[in-house]
Amino acid sequence: MQLVVARIGRAHGIKGEVTVEVRTDEPELRLGPGAVLATEPASTGPLTIETGRVHSGRLLLRFAGVSDRTGAEALRNTLLIAEVDPEDMPEDPDEYYDHQLMDLDVVLADGTEVGRITEITHLPSQDLFIVERPDGTEVMIPFVEEIVTDIDLVEQKAVIDPPPGLIDDNAVVAAPADGAHSAGDDNPDDDGPDDGGPDGAARGGSA
């Protein structure tokens, strides 16, 4: 199956490098030199990674055949897509691929239904579950161990222990599920629209 592992941002310098918004917790595996990636739009790729380096906390990539700023700018907002075996699991037992989490039922410890995961949003600080509630509204649940206490892939459910205000009537909710939704992008170097597509691995860590 195919997973989005990164999105290309702005050109960096004049030699064809681009900034990259990483969408996987395994960048060394998915975004290393020599990796050949499909793209969205498909007409942009496939792209072969020629070099990669970290600069000021950001991953910079250069692709084969792209040697100047003009070529790099033409790639902006392109999604990079890797082919992944659907049976593969992330190396870290506390990580999950997005496709494993999509459509899980979200419940409280006592079994009370909260909703269903319809989207996973990857932010620099943490991942968020976008959960559709029975009334059609959406609530954002941080994927951190203090809140998401258990992921049961066999039972297809995520158990949460939400703090006061997260899912009650005073919670801030997203738009109804039948409308377009974007959680935004905190990336100052990448001001394009959020694609909302499938991503790499989500982590249930600490905030």
Side-chain angles (χ1 to χ4, degrees):
M1 66 178 297
Q2 292 187 321
L3 293 178
V4 174
V5 294
R7 183 175 68 172
I8 297 175
R10 295 177 177 176
H12 179 85
I14 61 173
K15 296 183 178 180
E17 286 186 311
V18 295
T19 61
V20 172
E21 176 191 335
V22 177
R23 299 288 190 85
T24 173
D25 286 327
E26 300 174 308
E28 298 86 357
L29 175 64
R30 309 295 181 195
L31 299 171
V36 180
L37 301 168
T39 61
E40 177 60 43
S43 58
T44 306
L47 293 174
T48 301
I49 296 176
E50 193 168 81
T51 64
R53 65 187 179 99
V54 176
H55 175 73
S56 298
R58 298 296 307 278
L59 178 62
L60 303 179
L61 297 179
R62 183 166 61 233
F63 300 98
V66 180
S67 59
D68 57 27
R69 188 176 184 88
T70 300
E73 284 288 358
L75 298 177
R76 190 170 183 177
N77 287 329
T78 296
L79 300 180
L80 300 177
I81 303 169
E83 192 70 36
V84 178
D85 187 330
E87 300 301 320
D88 281 353
M89 292 286 289
E91 293 182 1
D92 189 326
D94 290 327
E95 294 178 5
Y96 302 85
Y97 289 126
D98 286 6
H99 71 274
Q100 296 172 309
L101 301 171
M102 290 291 291
D103 293 322
L104 292 187
D105 292 326
V106 179
V107 300
L108 301 180
D110 63 4
T112 301
E113 178 187 10
V114 177
R116 178 177 59 88
I117 299 173
T118 58
E119 184 180 338
I120 295 99
T121 297
H122 299 269
L123 301 179
S125 59
Q126 64 187 14
D127 299 319
L128 293 174
F129 292 161
I130 308 303
V131 177
E132 181 183 340
R133 302 198 284 194
D135 64 2
T137 59
E138 293 177 332
V139 63
M140 292 177 281
I141 307 292
F143 186 21
V144 295
E145 60 188 359
E146 294 86 354
I147 297 174
V148 182
T149 59
D150 185 46
I151 297 291
D152 189 332
L153 297 180
V154 175
E155 296 291 331
Q156 287 289 287
K157 67 180 180 181
V159 180
I160 66 170
D161 181 17
L166 185 64
I167 63 171
D168 61 22
D169 291 339
N170 295 321
V172 176
V173 299
D178 58 355
H181 169 75
S182 173
D185 188 348
D186 289 345
N187 183 347
D189 291 328
D190 196 358
D191 54 9
D194 189 83
D195 58 273
D199 299 322
R203 176 190 298 272
S206 300

